[in-house]
Amino acid sequence: MTGRSGAEVMAALGDIAPDFARYIFEFGYGDIYSRPGLDLRTRLLATVAGLVCLGHAEKELEVHVGSALNVGASREEVVEAIMQMALYAGFPAALNGLFVAKRVFAARDAEAGLQEGLQAR
Amino acid sequence: MTGRSGAEVMAALGDIAPDFARYIFEFGYGDIYSRPGLDLRTRLLATVAGLVCLGHAEKELEVHVGSALNVGASREEVVEAIMQMALYAGFPAALNGLFVAKRVFAARDAEAGLQEGLQAR
Amino acid sequence: MTGRSGAEVMAALGDIAPDFARYIFEFGYGDIYSRPGLDLRTRLLATVAGLVCLGHAEKELEVHVGSALNVGASREEVVEAIMQMALYAGFPAALNGLFVAKRVFAARDAEAGLQEGLQAR
Amino acid sequence: MTGRSGAEVMAALGDIAPDFARYIFEFGYGDIYSRPGLDLRTRLLATVAGLVCLGHAEKELEVHVGSALNVGASREEVVEAIMQMALYAGFPAALNGLFVAKRVFAARDAEAGLQEGLQAR
Amino acid sequence: MTGRSGAEVMAALGDIAPDFARYIFEFGYGDIYSRPGLDLRTRLLATVAGLVCLGHAEKELEVHVGSALNVGASREEVVEAIMQMALYAGFPAALNGLFVAKRVFAARDAEAGLQEGLQAR
Amino acid sequence: MTGRSGAEVMAALGDIAPDFARYIFEFGYGDIYSRPGLDLRTRLLATVAGLVCLGHAEKELEVHVGSALNVGASREEVVEAIMQMALYAGFPAALNGLFVAKRVFAARDAEAGLQEGLQAR
């Protein structure tokens, strides 16, 4: 769900806190994200909104914007979920969030362009 | 959408900051909630998640849990959106949020019971 | 500057953390508020804005709204400083702040009414 | 470790989020608090400091001040850990924390007085 | 009021959230900053204090330190407003704020030096 | 206690806010850290936990992880104090904290390796 960026974060923890990586996967992705009561797309859009409100979670926001796209949310939906948080957490938090989303979208476009280029050869 | 509790909050602002109530309705409900790119149920569940992460917005969380139910989210979905925030904002924020939801659900049950009682007479 | 409410807070600390009350007066009111580079009215309005953004400092906000009025800020200025924080910290924080100000204003009106009543006798 | 207040909190979750109570015990007390690398007294004093900095976790702070005392921290140590956070999270957060500690200490004194009275009969 | 840095931020939003830039100008600068009840210099110093307390709004703080200078606040007043927040939001938030102000002052000095150099030719 | 990094931070303040550096040393290290009621190792581990929960204090966290090691805390204890905050402040705050600790540990290893190399010559 989180793709490569999530895996990289976890690998980097390996030498100082290996159990912590395990907790995130067991508690986070095992216990919480596998629960039936809410569809994954809504779960991820809610997480994106929550991370915007936290204010200090830029790296996790980047990972979860990607995850939201991976489970079927559109770019427009991600932008709307972030923008709406201006009402509750203020403009700075929403602005920071929009710039994170912009970076994720650009990285995906660049990667898609690269793969197209490779296939065109 | 927010029902009586939202209206009461706004009325209480009337004597010290009447324009502020207008801003909330114009900017919040006029500009943001009427945007097409995200359905209202997801918007409200994302807001519930965001308010849980803020930590200091108990009254607004109460109003928006009610709004989420009003636009079609189930109680289970509200609980899942709150619970999931334990991963990102910690257990205290999620616990506070669950207790707010519990109060909203109980108030709705009490009101429903009252109306049933009235109809039974 | 803070009047009775500040004194009461400090007295309540006496039995568990007496030095802490001293720190607040020495560092806060001795070192910081006595500095020349910014007038007291602006200092207090800036503090009101800052406390609104913190989100968890309702009691201190109450004390400092009173202090702002004591050093010459008008009620309107206090309301504007709080309201403006909606842009930066979101509507819930600003709303909570406006309700604190409303309580302080009402308490002052009640006290003024009482004193008028006493003098009229 | 948390005594009665922790149990009550969990029981209250039973009807809306029963799994959540289980997560707190399994992940919190099972996975984290049972880890060997840090003694329980330091763990709890660190938690008290962390909860003071969060600002929105008054109920959990109350529970954990009690837990800190239960695992051998002195009242003075609890007060010092809270007071020190004024440097990092500001005076309002530290003041709120000191008042929570004061309430916990008073409740313990009242309970001790009650038990003494019972034994004296 | 915000000069070039504000304009750049808004332009960067154009391709993912064009309406959002409009909201900031309409709601922020149209509705809030044009209100009569508080002079612009105090409004901006209050905003600087508020952004320091938020902790996660470094870019906006940079823009608004510049705006405060643009509407007539002195560097000393900006420094005092930031420094004072150590009391309420702790030393880390105030320190971060002072370093932001230092960068803004240095950039202005560099630009002034450049223009002087150009005129001297 | 804070070593070189603390001194550098203070020196950088010299030209815009020289008194502020003095306040930090007088109030912070004079008044608070010299108090008897809590040992320095626990004080620093509590501070590390508190700074993790703040979320916006990465530079101070770096300085204080170093201070904790300087006054006798082990790397494992620092990691445990940070990791435990996932329960209270969420995974993003704890993850950010672990990466700060990782950087501090790596810098110390690099410096130790350098000194060993110098002595081996």
Side-chain angles (χ1 to χ4, degrees):
Chain A
M1 188 165 84
T2 62
R4 210 179 50 200
S5 54
E8 278 166 9
V9 167
M10 294 304 98
L13 281 179
D15 53 338
I16 65 160
D19 295 341
F20 197 67
R22 189 169 53 78
Y23 293 154
I24 294 178
F25 280 107
E26 280 182 15
F27 176 55
Y29 298 102
D31 285 344
I32 301 285
Y33 276 95
S34 66
R35 294 176 59 85
L38 188 64
D39 63 290
L40 264 182
R41 177 191 142 279
T42 310
R43 277 197 190 279
L44 264 305
L45 288 169
T47 297
V48 163
L51 292 170
V52 168
C53 289
L54 277 184
H56 61 257
E58 205 163 292
K59 275 177 256 169
E60 280 78 14
L61 182 56
E62 198 178 312
V63 172
H64 286 82
V65 164
S67 304
L69 300 175
N70 290 351
V71 302
S74 70
R75 290 188 183 190
E76 189 184 7
E77 288 177 325
V78 168
V79 166
E80 291 296 327
I82 296 173
M83 200 190 287
Q84 181 173 322
M85 291 307 111
L87 290 169
Y88 306 105
F91 282 108
L95 264 171
N96 288 354
L98 287 172
F99 284 116
V100 169
K102 193 177 162 157
R103 281 205 306 270
V104 175
F105 299 166
R108 300 224 160 181
D109 287 343
E111 208 173 327
L114 201 69
Q115 294 192 339
E116 233 171 73
L118 286 173
Q119 286 166 352
R121 282 211 270 182
Chain B
M1 188 164 84
T2 61
R4 211 178 49 200
S5 53
E8 278 166 9
V9 168
M10 294 303 99
L13 281 178
D15 53 337
I16 65 161
D19 295 342
F20 197 68
R22 190 170 52 78
Y23 293 154
I24 294 178
F25 280 107
E26 280 182 16
F27 177 55
Y29 298 103
D31 285 344
I32 300 286
Y33 276 96
S34 65
R35 294 177 59 85
L38 189 64
D39 63 287
L40 265 182
R41 179 191 142 278
T42 310
R43 277 198 190 278
L44 264 305
L45 287 169
T47 297
V48 163
L51 292 171
V52 168
C53 289
L54 278 185
H56 61 257
E58 204 163 294
K59 275 177 257 168
E60 281 77 14
L61 183 55
E62 198 178 311
V63 172
H64 286 82
V65 164
S67 303
L69 300 175
N70 290 350
V71 301
S74 70
R75 291 188 181 189
E76 189 183 9
E77 288 176 325
V78 168
V79 166
E80 291 295 326
I82 296 173
M83 201 191 286
Q84 181 173 320
M85 291 307 111
L87 290 169
Y88 305 105
F91 282 108
L95 263 171
N96 288 353
L98 287 172
F99 284 116
V100 169
K102 192 177 162 158
R103 280 205 306 270
V104 176
F105 298 166
R108 300 225 160 181
D109 287 344
E111 208 172 327
L114 202 69
Q115 294 193 339
E116 233 170 73
L118 286 173
Q119 286 165 352
R121 282 210 272 180
Chain C
M1 189 165 82
T2 61
R4 209 178 51 200
S5 54
E8 277 166 9
V9 167
M10 293 305 100
L13 282 178
D15 53 337
I16 66 161
D19 295 341
F20 197 68
R22 189 169 53 78
Y23 293 154
I24 293 178
F25 279 108
E26 279 182 16
F27 177 55
Y29 298 102
D31 285 344
I32 301 283
Y33 276 96
S34 65
R35 292 177 61 85
L38 188 64
D39 63 288
L40 264 182
R41 178 191 141 280
T42 311
R43 277 198 190 277
L44 264 304
L45 288 169
T47 297
V48 163
L51 292 171
V52 168
C53 289
L54 277 184
H56 62 256
E58 205 163 293
K59 277 176 255 168
E60 281 76 15
L61 183 56
E62 197 178 312
V63 172
H64 285 83
V65 164
S67 304
L69 299 175
N70 291 350
V71 301
S74 70
R75 291 187 182 190
E76 190 184 9
E77 288 177 324
V78 168
V79 166
E80 291 296 326
I82 296 173
M83 201 191 285
Q84 181 172 321
M85 291 308 111
L87 290 170
Y88 306 105
F91 282 108
L95 263 171
N96 287 353
L98 287 172
F99 284 116
V100 169
K102 192 177 162 157
R103 280 206 307 269
V104 175
F105 299 167
R108 299 226 160 180
D109 286 343
E111 209 173 326
L114 201 69
Q115 294 192 339
E116 233 171 74
L118 286 173
Q119 285 165 351
R121 282 211 272 181
Chain D
M1 189 164 82
T2 62
R4 211 178 50 199
S5 54
E8 278 166 9
V9 168
M10 293 305 97
L13 283 178
D15 52 337
I16 66 161
D19 294 342
F20 197 68
R22 189 169 53 78
Y23 293 154
I24 294 179
F25 280 107
E26 280 182 15
F27 177 55
Y29 298 103
D31 284 343
I32 301 285
Y33 275 95
S34 66
R35 294 177 59 85
L38 188 64
D39 63 288
L40 264 182
R41 179 191 141 279
T42 310
R43 277 197 191 278
L44 265 303
L45 288 169
T47 297
V48 163
L51 292 171
V52 168
C53 289
L54 277 185
H56 62 256
E58 203 163 294
K59 276 177 256 168
E60 281 77 15
L61 182 56
E62 197 177 311
V63 172
H64 286 83
V65 164
S67 303
L69 299 175
N70 290 350
V71 301
S74 70
R75 290 188 183 190
E76 189 183 9
E77 288 176 325
V78 168
V79 166
E80 291 296 327
I82 295 173
M83 202 191 285
Q84 181 173 320
M85 290 308 111
L87 291 169
Y88 305 105
F91 282 109
L95 263 171
N96 288 353
L98 288 171
F99 284 116
V100 169
K102 192 177 163 158
R103 279 205 307 270
V104 175
F105 299 167
R108 299 226 160 181
D109 287 344
E111 207 173 329
L114 201 69
Q115 293 193 339
E116 232 171 73
L118 286 173
Q119 285 165 352
R121 281 209 273 181
Chain E
M1 187 166 82
T2 62
R4 211 178 49 199
S5 53
E8 277 166 10
V9 167
M10 293 304 100
L13 282 179
D15 53 337
I16 65 161
D19 295 341
F20 197 68
R22 189 168 53 78
Y23 294 153
I24 294 178
F25 279 109
E26 281 182 14
F27 176 54
Y29 297 104
D31 285 343
I32 301 285
Y33 275 96
S34 65
R35 293 176 60 85
L38 189 65
D39 63 289
L40 264 182
R41 178 191 142 280
T42 310
R43 276 197 191 279
L44 264 304
L45 288 169
T47 297
V48 163
L51 292 170
V52 168
C53 289
L54 276 185
H56 61 258
E58 206 163 293
K59 276 177 256 171
E60 281 77 15
L61 182 56
E62 198 177 310
V63 173
H64 286 83
V65 165
S67 304
L69 299 175
N70 290 351
V71 301
S74 69
R75 290 188 183 191
E76 189 184 8
E77 288 177 325
V78 168
V79 166
E80 291 295 327
I82 296 173
M83 200 191 285
Q84 180 173 321
M85 291 308 111
L87 290 169
Y88 306 105
F91 282 109
L95 264 170
N96 287 354
L98 287 171
F99 284 116
V100 169
K102 193 178 162 156
R103 281 206 307 270
V104 176
F105 298 166
R108 299 226 160 181
D109 287 343
E111 208 173 326
L114 201 69
Q115 294 193 339
E116 234 171 72
L118 286 173
Q119 285 165 354
R121 282 210 271 181
Chain F
M1 187 165 83
T2 62
R4 212 178 50 199
S5 54
E8 277 166 10
V9 167
M10 293 304 98
L13 282 179
D15 54 337
I16 65 160
D19 295 342
F20 197 68
R22 188 168 55 77
Y23 293 154
I24 294 179
F25 279 108
E26 280 183 15
F27 177 55
Y29 298 103
D31 285 343
I32 301 285
Y33 276 95
S34 66
R35 294 177 59 87
L38 188 64
D39 63 289
L40 265 182
R41 178 191 142 279
T42 310
R43 276 197 191 279
L44 263 305
L45 288 169
T47 297
V48 163
L51 292 170
V52 168
C53 290
L54 277 185
H56 62 257
E58 205 163 292
K59 276 178 256 169
E60 281 76 15
L61 182 56
E62 197 178 311
V63 172
H64 286 82
V65 164
S67 303
L69 299 175
N70 289 351
V71 301
S74 70
R75 291 187 181 190
E76 189 184 8
E77 287 177 325
V78 168
V79 166
E80 292 295 327
I82 296 173
M83 199 191 287
Q84 180 173 322
M85 291 307 111
L87 290 170
Y88 305 106
F91 282 108
L95 263 170
N96 288 354
L98 288 171
F99 284 116
V100 169
K102 192 177 162 158
R103 282 205 306 270
V104 175
F105 298 167
R108 300 224 158 181
D109 286 344
E111 209 173 326
L114 202 70
Q115 294 193 339
E116 235 171 72
L118 286 173
Q119 285 166 354
R121 281 210 271 182

